[in-house]
Amino acid sequence: MTELLGQTLDELSETLRPFDVPPYRARQLYHEIYKRRNYAVGAMTELPKSLRAALRERWTVTSLEVTSVFQSSDGTRRYLFRASDGVQIEAVWIPEADRDTICLSTQAGCPLACQFCMTGVLGWRRNLTAGEIIAQVGALLNDQYGVGRPPARGVNLVLMGMGEPLLNYVQVMKAIRLLCDSQGMGISQRRITLSTAGVVPGIDDLAKEPVRPELAISLSATTNALRDRLIPLNKRWPLEELLAACRRYPLRRREWLTFEYVMLDGVNDSDEEADQLVHLLRGLRAKVNLIPYNPSPELPFRSSPMNRVLGFQARVRARGVPAFIRMPRGRDIDAACGQLAARAEASRR
Ligand code: SAH
């Protein structure tokens, strides 16, 4: 079965060509799958019955299937999906005071092997397709609002689930363009944040995109010695190169770079490191998100105590860099940052 979700309007027109239908049928199909999030060809009543039947022989909207949903006491929900080839991925629905945030995966597993991250521990499967990335958003919105219903309040997307988005550049950007199309899902590009561990050529490519998400960089260390150890990708693109790419990145009006900093007890949380962080970010329009570490029994790290996180934050702020603490959400269901690792797959083995 080939998937319709992830196809542009031109590609859908191409798909419909053998069926010999008028051109507006492609626009109707586009409207059904992106605007209405209708993932059942049989239920697309705008399309003639004969076309639906013919389509269903070889095409499906998406084969990504929700296999489990875990509900946290704080309202967060973690969704486990299975793709047609059996790989499993996860996405998270995070309700907040004035909006909802969806945390998406861009790869099944991750090749980066960051020492503190569970996805890294489970290793690498494959890149997701644009359709599989969009299907996560569609499935969560449909679960919340129902097929065909627009979201009742703002939705933010963060590409911070499993995987390194800039190592799946083409499919990630295709998904973003489709998500942002006002004729389709209609999500604002300024409501999407892409988080990278520091793929420098990807950052330079992103700079040239007419439609692009906000950019967040997972820094988590202020020296190459420590960053090499925590985030092995640093050996390929060390801090100087990463920060140079950030300095030449063309920020839009009211746009800030976000630097994420996972707070690891006794590893990267000293006052000296707070000072060094400020030093590294000098001259950048940047803010810092401090993420208290979400521990996993498989990994040797602990979170910095809250008074240390607060002390670090105060020190960074006092030196003129805005710093925020990202409160953990969904810890009770393993939905928090760095915990998305498709444990079902791990336990099946
Ligand atoms: N590969 C991308 C996106 C996925 S990770 C990146 O590295 O940015 C999303 C964020 O979660 C990163 O900032 C990462 O450092 C952080 N993270 C990973 N494991 C974590 C954990 N156990 N606790 C808290 N944050 C974690």
Side-chain angles (χ1 to χ4, degrees):
M1 286 298 230
T2 322
E3 301 192 9
L4 297 170
L5 200 64
Q7 294 197 357
T8 63
L9 181 58
D10 283 350
E11 288 166 339
L12 288 176
S13 304
E14 203 50 45
T15 297
L16 291 187
R17 199 207 292 280
F19 301 105
D20 200 27
V21 292
Y24 68 85
R25 294 295 183 203
R27 281 195 303 278
Q28 285 181 326
L29 185 55
Y30 188 90
H31 182 262
E32 285 286 349
I33 67 181
Y34 293 111
K35 188 107 189 172
R36 301 195 66 239
R37 306 185 306 270
N38 183 353
Y39 296 166
V41 173
M44 295 181 180
T45 46
E46 276 189 4
L47 302 180
K49 220 173 182 166
S50 55
L51 177 59
R52 280 183 266 158
L55 267 176
R56 280 170 69 186
E57 283 178 16
R58 279 193 39 222
W59 295 88
T60 178
V61 178
T62 173
S63 36
L64 204 63
E65 243 181 287
V66 176
T67 52
S68 329
V69 184
F70 306 88
Q71 172 82 46
S72 163
S73 55
D74 70 12
T76 300
R77 284 200 298 269
R78 177 164 67 98
Y79 292 76
L80 184 62
F81 295 88
R82 191 174 48 230
S84 48
D85 62 352
V87 302
Q88 306 202 68
I89 57 157
E90 306 189 347
V92 185
W93 175 266
I94 309 157
E96 293 173 271
D98 54 347
R99 58 163 184 266
D100 298 300
T101 296
I102 297 177
C103 179
L104 296 179
S105 294
T106 56
Q107 301 183 310
C110 185
L112 294 188
C114 299
Q115 288 303 288
F116 50 81
C117 178
M118 266 312 285
T119 309
V121 169
L122 281 198
W124 164 246
R125 299 287 179 278
R126 68 168 169 83
N127 278 330
L128 299 185
T129 63
E132 288 167 334
I133 295 167
I134 297 167
Q136 297 170 60
V137 181
L140 272 59
L141 287 175
N142 283 346
D143 194 31
Q144 182 72 18
Y145 295 112
V147 175
R149 300 237 165 76
R153 59 187 202 151
V155 177
N156 286 1
L157 305 182
V158 296
L159 280 57
M160 298 185 185
M162 302 169 77
E164 169 49 52
L166 293 184
L167 291 182
N168 185 15
Y169 191 89
V170 170
Q171 295 299 312
V172 164
M173 287 312 299
K174 187 179 191 195
I176 286 174
R177 283 189 291 271
L178 285 164
L179 287 162
C180 292
D181 181 7
S182 57
Q183 302 299 308
M185 296 187 76
I187 294 172
S188 159
Q189 57 180 313
R190 303 301 294 265
R191 280 185 169 271
I192 306 180
T193 300
L194 181 153
S195 175
T196 179
V199 179
V200 166
I203 295 173
D204 287 334
D205 287 343
L206 203 57
K208 297 177 217 132
E209 295 285 350
V211 174
R212 62 170 159 89
E214 308 275 303
L215 180 60
I217 316 275
S218 298
L219 205 62
S220 297
T222 61
T223 62
N224 282 322
L226 180 61
R227 202 162 187 274
D228 280 351
R229 187 156 74 76
L230 295 178
I231 304 177
L233 186 73
N234 194 67
K235 293 180 203 150
R236 182 105 173 256
W237 293 292
L239 279 172
E240 310 75 62
E241 286 183 38
L242 175 56
L243 290 161
C246 294
R247 291 213 154 72
R248 62 181 175 257
Y249 193 76
L251 291 171
R252 297 166 289 201
R253 245 160 56 85
R254 289 197 297 268
E255 184 174 15
W256 292 64
L257 287 173
T258 301
F259 287 86
E260 297 158 278
Y261 197 94
V262 180
M263 299 291 292
L264 302 166
D265 184 28
V267 174
N268 65 356
D269 61 354
S270 69
D271 278 349
E272 292 67 42
E273 282 158 313
D275 295 351
Q276 178 63 16
L277 177 60
V278 171
H279 177 70
L280 289 176
L281 302 185
R282 77 195 176 286
L284 279 167
R285 202 197 296 163
K287 62 181 165 125
V288 171
N289 268 354
L290 301 173
I291 315 177
Y293 180 62
N294 292 304
S296 296
E298 293 88 344
L299 295 171
F301 299 97
R302 286 179 316 255
S303 177
S304 308
M306 200 30 95
N307 64 353
R308 181 78 297 258
V309 179
L310 288 166
F312 194 98
Q313 178 193 31
R315 204 159 169 109
V316 171
R317 279 192 165 167
R319 283 156 183 74
V321 177
F324 305 89
I325 300 175
R326 171 114 56 76
M327 285 304 169
R329 297 289 305 269
R331 267 193 178 175
D332 54 339
I333 53 164
D334 291 337
C337 302
Q339 294 185 325
L340 300 193
R343 278 160 195 276
E345 184 178 4
S347 59
R348 206 183 51 204
R349 296 177 171 200

